[in-house]
Amino acid sequence: MASGLRTGTGEYGEPGAWRAAEDGHRGRVTDLRNELQKVLLAEQPRTVDRGRMPLVERYLTTVIETRVEGAVVELGCFAGAMAAWMRTVLDGAGDGRPVHAFGAFAELPAPGPEDGNCLKEGEFPATEKDVYVLHDRFGLRRPLVYAGWLTQTLPASLPDQIAFAYLDSYRYDSILTSLEHCVPRLAPGALLVLDGYADASAGDHVEQPKAPGVMRACRKYFGDRLPLWTVHDGCGWGLGVYHHLPAIA
Ligand SMILES: C[S@@+](CC[C@H](N)C(=O)[O-])C[C@H]1O[C@@H](n2cnc3c(N)ncnc32)[C@H](O)[C@@H]1O
């Protein structure tokens, strides 16, 4: 599928023809996204729900429209649902940046002391192949997949400059590692979105009881005055959003 449109009259002839081609491209991307959303809601409802997708779309679109430079990354990739969704958001905007997807693709060890019951041992089994199969099924450009524990993959492979980061590993240790590597690489204006950040029905900075390690890792990294805001996904799971603004001298 084409991920960008030429401007001017080149490939499509007169401006009117180009506009028609652009409308056709947008229509195809919209149809594809509707179909992808339907399939993800049916097949991977635990990781992407009706609320999360529009929120990720909103913030990724903000980064695209404000022309923040840098990579688009997912830290905590499972079977490729959010990576594919982000691909369609980029494609819809004619943005050819690849999605970088980091995941264990291995049996998870038991949760640590800060995690409660979050992500029980062995949960979320998936392979890199699952990610590719999902993308191929929809004719989407495959993400760059980095398989392994974040402590091993991030130092070697996380891009130097990040425009948009989606942190979805839920575990205290994993989120802390993600923040330590991502935040120093954020470009001015970049957005970092954390899944499972808060219990949105209880308040902005109330831990999500099913994933307490996420906010605890944020407190460890940022301190008690958390520089994030919470957005609802409509299901009680609040996503945390951090906007990276350059310090004013
Ligand atoms: C909730 S799932 C992610 C769902 C995915 N973002 C999606 O939307 O489809 C959490 C994932 O984080 C991964 N994960 C957790 N801790 C990790 C770590 N330290 N290193 C690599 N992957 C990790 C797990 O393997 C699991 O697949």
Side-chain angles (χ1 to χ4, degrees), residues 115-126:
D115 289 317
N117 278 333
C118 183
L119 293 191
K120 294 199 183 70
E121 193 167 356
E123 264 200 87
F124 285 105

Side-chain angles (χ1 to χ4, degrees), residues 40 44 46-48 52 74-84 102-109 119 123-126 134 146-154 166-171 173-175 177-178 195:
L40 295 181
Q44 298 192 39
R46 269 189 84 194
T47 60
V48 283
R52 279 182 181 111
E74 178 188 29
L75 273 53
C77 177
F78 167 51
M82 195 52 89
F102 293 79
F105 303 108
E107 294 269 302
L108 276 181
L119 293 191
E123 264 200 87
F124 285 105
L134 177 68
Y146 308 88
W149 303 111
L150 296 173
T151 44
Q152 289 155 0
T153 53
L154 295 185
Y166 180 63
L167 272 48
D168 191 17
S169 59
Y170 283 8
R171 286 256 180 94
D173 285 349
S174 311
I175 293 291
T177 300
S178 302
D195 205 305

